Amino acid sequence: MKLAFWKKGEDTAGQVDFSRLPRHIAIILDGNGRWAKRRGLPRTAGHKVGAETFRTIATCCRDIGIEYLTVYAFSTENWKRPEDEVDTIMVLLKKYLLEAIDTMERDNVRLRFMGDLTPLTAELKGLVAECNAISERLTGCLCSICINYGGRPELVHAAAGFAKDCQSGSVNPEDLTEEMLSGYLYSAGIPDPDLLIRPGGELRQSNFLLWQCAYSEFYFTDVLWPDFSREELYRAIAAYQHRSRRYGGLQEGST
Ligand code: IPE
Ligand code: IPE
Ligand code: MG
């Protein structure tokens, strides 16, 4: 058993057993605005630092061998924000994609996008397509970025896809299984998250991966996303490793 200590001393909260890592970690990137406000900065400054944090955590996940990382970057509800904040987030997304196109091959990180991308500009859609094309050649950690994503719209989209296939006669309504429905989601082919992390202090799911998180372990922390670090990630993984995942059954050896 290999352990990593996030901090020297008595506190062992961040000890990670690298032989039992979660395969898939999902993160709600929350707390950027409050991080900035506490510093007397505009909310957009928090988004800028948050984008850097994402880079750090994605690299860390790749380094330790997490197979899937899924992050909630912009929800279907986030269009309610002031126009200048939404614009800044889209500019940051463009910057991130341009950098990713230059570095993902070297870093062997695959990118995938989940959500309805139709409202994005043609330029952003083009960059997403480039990232997808590069990802096809790679094998490393699959990082899914949720943009204009909502769990309910995703289920509606999946239902519509299934209905269309029923209409065309390629499937029958009575044949629908959970596995089949999963195949109509944006996350098709990706295992469900083992661990869902929400920084920022809110204790809710905010329409994120409603279907996929049916049996995920939830980890909440007050740390704001821009302050989230490798140590915080280890702390979350260590907490996950202390959970007993019973899936409705009984813990081994408890009978
Ligand atoms: C998360 O941070 C980023 C997005 C939702 C785009 P917030 O902007 O929600 O930050 P808080 O929750 O207001 O601090
Ligand atoms: C969730 O954060 C969405 C993302 C992080 C992209 P929000 O800040 O939008 O969630 P609420 O409004 O607190 O539920
Ligand atoms: Mg928020």
Side-chain angles (χ1 to χ4, degrees), residues 29-34 43 47 73 78 81 85 89:
L29 312 182
D30 196 26
N32 294 349
R34 279 163 288 164
R43 290 176 54 83
H47 295 315
N78 289 146
R81 307 263 177 119
E85 182 170 342
I89 292 170

Side-chain angles (χ1 to χ4, degrees), residues 2 6 19 26 38 47 58 65 103 114 160-161 163 165 183 217 226-227 238 245 252-253:
K2 214 169 137 198
W6 70 277
S19 66
R38 280 178 199 175
H47 295 315
T103 57
M114 287 172 43
D165 287 347
E217 295 296 329
D227 287 330
R245 302 186 77 185
E252 246 172 71

Side-chain angles (χ1 to χ4, degrees), residues 28-30 72-75 78 81 198 202 204 206:
I28 299 174
L29 312 182
D30 196 26
Y72 203 10
F74 192 84
S75 76
N78 289 146
R81 307 263 177 119
R198 181 165 192 158
E202 308 296 356
R204 57 178 169 257
S206 301

Side-chain angles (χ1 to χ4, degrees), residues 27-30 32 43 47 54 70-93 113-117 119-120 124 144-151 153 186 206-209:
I27 312 180
I28 299 174
L29 312 182
D30 196 26
N32 294 349
R43 290 176 54 83
H47 295 315
F54 168 58
T70 301
V71 295
Y72 203 10
F74 192 84
S75 76
T76 43
E77 288 75 26
N78 289 146
W79 296 105
K80 294 177 197 162
R81 307 263 177 119
E83 207 179 314
D84 65 325
E85 182 170 342
V86 172
D87 287 349
T88 302
I89 292 170
M90 294 303 156
V91 168
L92 286 170
L93 177 61
F113 300 86
M114 287 172 43
D116 176 10
L117 303 186
L120 298 191
L124 279 174
S144 302
I145 304 178
C146 299
I147 298 162
N148 192 26
Y149 173 90
Y186 295 125
S206 301
N207 210 5
F208 189 42
L209 303 177

